[in-house]
Amino acid sequence: QKEVEQDPGPLSVPEGAIVSLNCTYSNSAFQYFMWYRQYSRKGPELLMYTYSSGNKEDGRFTAQVDKSSKYISLFIRDSQPSDSATYLCAMSENLAALIFGKGTTLSVSS
Amino acid sequence: SQTIHQWPATLVQPVGSPLSLECTVEGTSNPNLYWYRQAAGRGLQLLFYSVGIGQISSEVPQNLSASRPQDRQFILSSKKLLLSDSGFYLCAWSAAVGGGEKLFFGSGTQLSVL
């Protein structure tokens, strides 16, 4: 079993939809959980950061960590065409060993 | 505020040629620095990280090397490029921000080895 699994998509939704992106992991020692957004040919941009567990909300974005199920989610409300990008989950016990999912490609149509 | 500069944005090199990619960070002292490679369909792979000048840890044995000659400068090199070295190379730095340590990326270098 891979340490971090992420559905690559692509995921296509209409503008205004609620988007749910997910990752599962196998290592119960992970305590850093992040979501990055990456536009084509650009470096990943840190969207959400959670240490240990719980939920975090920032504008239209909500990150959830369920350590009992080893499952993290990113929700995007009122999705916009500008949200079209690849979303990467990342997690680890420490940053030197940060493990990334392969990314989910999201397309929001107007 | 902290910024990270990485160049060039695009590079096309022949097989067997040398490589030097440079990354600098501004607005912070003694950052942890990282080099990642992102290949199509393979996700982000950590190549090297550094916790200080002259201190380099290699995560993957390969045709590449890294150096940190100054506190905020990180260089990725190769003496002879292989076709398999093609990919998107990303420099990153980490810092304790807002109660936790976070990783921030540069804009990346798309390397094509032909």
Side-chain angles (χ1 to χ4, degrees), chain B residues 36-95:
Chain B
Y36 282 84
R37 178 169 60 200
Q38 189 175 34
R42 296 188 61 184
L44 277 160
Q45 180 186 37
L46 178 63
L47 302 176
F48 301 95
Y49 74 93
S50 171
V51 298
I53 296 174
Q55 301 178 64
I56 309 294
S57 295
S58 174
E59 293 298 306
V60 182
Q62 61 216 319
N63 186 41
L64 302 169
S65 62
S67 62
R68 186 169 176 174
Q70 299 180 40
D71 180 44
R72 290 171 287 176
Q73 183 184 30
F74 206 21
I75 298 172
L76 182 69
S77 304
S78 173
K79 292 183 180 177
K80 287 186 178 181
L81 284 169
L82 305 172
L83 286 174
S84 58
D85 291 324
S86 294
F88 192 50
Y89 288 82
L90 290 155
C91 181
W93 68 281
S94 66

Side-chain angles (χ1 to χ4, degrees), chain A residues 36 38 41-43 49 95-96, chain B residues 38 46 100-101 103 106 110:
Chain A
Y36 286 84
Q38 186 176 23
R41 306 282 182 163
K42 301 292 184 185
Y49 169 92
L95 286 187
Chain B
Q38 189 175 34
L46 178 63
E101 193 162 2
L103 189 68
Q110 183 65 52

